[in-house]
Amino acid sequence: QVQLVESGGGSVQSGGSLRVSCAASGYTYSRYCLAWFRQAPGKEREGVVIIGRSTRYADSVKGRFTISLENAKKILYLQMNSLKPEDTGIYYCAAGDWYGTCDFKHWGQGTQVTVSS
């Protein structure tokens, strides 16, 4: 049974940093189709960063967030620096297969990130 278990969320002041993690159980990540999404209250879910044909960051997080994969390909990370209140939301990791575009089949349970001003 594939499970993606997230951790590392919490509350931080504006300008601070957090690293959220997504540990795979019963699954090993590939090099592609790895992503972090987020959903702010009252807003649509949006892609934060997606590794597909290339690694693409949302404009709003470029230069501040970094996606990385542990060498054993069991943990996916999102390092978040210079956090802003607008970054507040539930963060979800996702993984899947490449079919020209990514088909995200596996999702984390979500972890809350709250950034205060």
Side-chain angles (χ1 to χ4, degrees), residues 27 38 62:
Y27 183 78
R38 69 185 180 189
K62 285 181 180 177

Side-chain angles (χ1 to χ4, degrees), residues 33-37 46-63 65-67 78 98 100-102 104:
C33 297
L34 306 171
W36 288 93
F37 294 82
E46 64 175 340
V48 176
V49 54
I50 299 172
I51 301 175
R53 190 176 180 88
S54 62
T55 301
R56 297 179 291 111
Y57 291 87
D59 288 342
S60 60
V61 308
K62 285 181 180 177
F65 290 13
T66 304
I67 189 171
L78 181 68
W98 175 256
T101 59
C102 290
F104 293 109

Side-chain angles (χ1 to χ4, degrees), residues 1-17:
Q1 184 179 16
V2 176
Q3 292 187 73
L4 305 185
V5 181
E6 299 184 38
S7 62
S11 298
V12 65
Q13 291 187 326
S14 181
S17 298

Side-chain angles (χ1 to χ4, degrees), residues 14-89:
S14 181
S17 298
L18 283 173
R19 187 178 72 169
V20 290
S21 302
C22 185
S25 177
Y27 183 78
T28 300
Y29 294 117
S30 69
R31 296 165 56 198
Y32 304 105
C33 297
L34 306 171
W36 288 93
F37 294 82
R38 69 185 180 189
Q39 187 167 23
K43 298 183 68 177
E44 298 278 345
R45 184 185 67 189
E46 64 175 340
V48 176
V49 54
I50 299 172
I51 301 175
R53 190 176 180 88
S54 62
T55 301
R56 297 179 291 111
Y57 291 87
D59 288 342
S60 60
V61 308
K62 285 181 180 177
R64 300 189 297 118
F65 290 13
T66 304
I67 189 171
S68 62
L69 182 65
E70 181 214 33
N71 289 339
K73 300 182 180 178
K74 289 291 187 179
I75 309 175
L76 185 70
Y77 298 103
L78 181 68
Q79 177 68 45
M80 301 180 287
N81 298 326
S82 302
L83 283 161
K84 306 174 181 179
E86 306 93 272
D87 296 318
T88 293

